[in-house]
Amino acid sequence: MRAQCFSFSGLTLYESVVKGMPGYQSVASPRIGTDINIIPKNHSIYWPASANAAMAVMLKNLFANTSATNKNKIDSLESAFNLQFQNQANAEVIDQSVEYGRKIANHIFDWSKTDGGHEAYLGATNSSYIPPTGPGKWIPTPPAFSQPIRPYWGNNRSFVPDIAITTMPPAPTYSETADSEFYQAANEVYTISSSLTAEDISIVKTWGDLPGNYGTPAHYTNIATQLILKNEFKLDRAALTYAKHGIALYEATICVFKAKYTYNLIRPVSYIRNVLGLSTWNTVIGTPPHPEYPSAHAVIGGASYVVLESIFGNNSFVDRTHEHLYGARSYHTLKEYAV
């Protein structure tokens, strides 16, 4: 899952340079139970080389199934940066820094494998998961009618203990009565869908991150990257931003899937087809195979903007993530992209 990857890669970047950031301390060491940031005696660390090595290791570990071509690109990029560093530090310091960064990355990757994420993605990984049935409960949705994904994601280890329980939203009130709030909300979705403009469809596809299923956490991380570049952050501030933002995305994802599979609420496409009786109605993009409530985009987006607002302020910005497909999108505030 992308949010998990962004949390541990952001944390790795931060941990690989935190000893060179006065006033900051390790986040990972207390949680892992050992000091992963010890610098060997008589070693000097050039922090960009440490960060470069750590990220190369983490990328290849987190995306172990990527193509040989992509792995070669990671190796080539790492080497290219190391060549640049030769003008900044001597060969012995660079070698010590590379060793240090790789040690940090391996510690964090080994720890990441124990958080539950390796087993929580598909219900098929644990045959004991059976979706509940009954009025208002989730059922497989078109076009693929796939099995539910991430049914156990809410049980993953979080950075803040028990955060999925302490942030649990109230239960939704399901109803099939025509004058109920639930029915009216579904009917509003249908009514709006009958007169969508080209701009409406473009917005849906932008935030659906299509084609290619770019992914919500990746999109929000790209916004963070754009802001880092715009504000010309140095390595220390960029590392801090990626760590805070990545951890927030992962915590939000754990929370939202804990709630989704606690309530197992039906998706609008199923309600509109089966309750409103519009059996051929469909969504602009495919409905992800997991329960409706609460909205993953809203919860993860909320976590994203709060972290970024605390770092960059609530200023206007332009999101160019899908500029080549749907054009750049301007927002008056950071909160605006999340709501």
Side-chain angles (χ1 to χ4, degrees):
M1 174 93 181
R2 293 177 183 88
Q4 182 192 34
C5 293
F6 289 124
S7 69
F8 288 112
S9 59
L11 179 62
T12 298
L13 177 60
Y14 173 78
E15 295 290 340
S16 71
V17 298
V18 69
K19 283 289 190 177
M21 297 169 58
Y24 289 88
Q25 59 187 3
S26 172
V27 172
S29 290
R31 288 162 174 79
I32 295 174
T34 185
D35 188 353
I36 68 171
N37 307 92
I38 295 175
I39 299 175
K41 188 177 181 180
N42 299 322
H43 277 213
S44 296
I45 305 298
Y46 179 62
W47 299 112
S50 172
N52 184 45
M55 294 309 295
V57 168
M58 205 62 176
L59 283 173
K60 287 185 286 187
N61 280 332
L62 288 173
F63 301 99
N65 294 326
T66 193
S67 67
T69 298
N70 285 339
K71 290 179 181 178
N72 288 334
K73 289 180 178 179
I74 295 171
D75 290 336
S76 295
L77 186 60
E78 181 185 13
S79 297
F81 278 119
N82 280 331
L83 283 174
Q84 294 180 31
F85 300 151
Q86 290 178 3
N87 296 323
Q88 308 296 325
N90 65 48
E92 182 180 11
V93 170
I94 291 176
D95 288 343
Q96 292 170 356
S97 304
V98 168
E99 180 183 356
Y100 179 78
R102 288 174 177 171
K103 180 197 73 172
I104 295 288
N106 285 322
H107 271 298
I108 294 176
F109 180 68
D110 287 343
W111 181 60
S112 78
K113 292 188 292 185
T114 65
D115 77 338
H118 279 55
E119 296 79 31
Y121 189 75
L122 290 171
T125 61
N126 188 328
S127 59
S128 67
Y129 182 76
I130 300 174
T133 59
K137 296 301 181 184
W138 179 88
I139 56 176
T141 53
F145 295 94
S146 302
Q147 63 177 322
I149 59 172
R150 309 182 197 106
Y152 304 114
W153 202 260
N155 297 330
N156 287 1
R157 180 188 63 220
S158 54
F159 287 87
V160 178
D162 299 321
I163 191 171
I165 300 301
T166 57
T167 61
M168 184 69 65
T173 302
Y174 178 76
S175 176
E176 297 180 6
T177 304
D179 61 354
S180 68
E181 185 176 356
F182 199 100
Y183 186 102
Q184 293 301 320
N187 190 58
E188 181 181 11
V189 170
Y190 167 72
T191 301
I192 292 172
S193 74
S194 63
S195 57
L196 293 177
T197 65
E199 173 66 3
D200 292 331
I201 293 172
S202 177
I203 292 172
V204 170
K205 291 183 176 180
T206 294
W207 288 103
D209 294 298
L210 299 174
N213 191 26
Y214 189 77
T216 304
H219 193 153
Y220 292 140
T221 301
N222 196 45
I223 289 174
T225 298
Q226 292 173 74
L227 291 169
I228 287 169
L229 293 173
K230 178 183 176 182
N231 289 274
E232 299 181 341
F233 273 16
K234 302 298 184 183
L235 177 58
D236 55 349
R237 296 182 71 190
L240 185 62
T241 300
Y242 281 125
K244 285 184 174 181
H245 190 251
I247 289 171
L249 294 183
Y250 191 30
E251 299 289 86
T253 305
I254 292 172
C255 292
V256 78
F257 279 93
K258 183 68 171 181
K260 280 180 179 288
Y261 285 98
T262 296
Y263 299 124
N264 288 280
L265 187 66
I266 191 171
R267 283 285 193 171
V269 63
S270 303
Y271 189 94
I272 290 170
R273 287 184 171 197
N274 300 333
V275 178
L276 272 60
L278 302 163
S279 60
T280 61
W281 185 85
N282 212 345
T283 51
V284 173
I285 60 175
T287 299
H290 50 69
E292 171 68 16
Y293 176 79
S295 163
H297 268 84
V299 174
I300 300 170
S304 170
Y305 101 79
V306 168
V307 170
L308 296 182
E309 182 182 76
S310 73
I311 297 168
F312 299 101
N314 200 20
N315 302 313
S316 63
F317 82 106
V318 178
D319 177 19
R320 302 186 185 279
T321 300
H322 295 302
E323 184 175 17
H324 63 299
L325 291 173
Y326 312 116
R329 299 214 163 267
S330 298
Y331 299 92
H332 295 98
T333 65
L334 287 174
K335 184 177 181 179
E336 196 173 274
Y337 77 75
V339 297

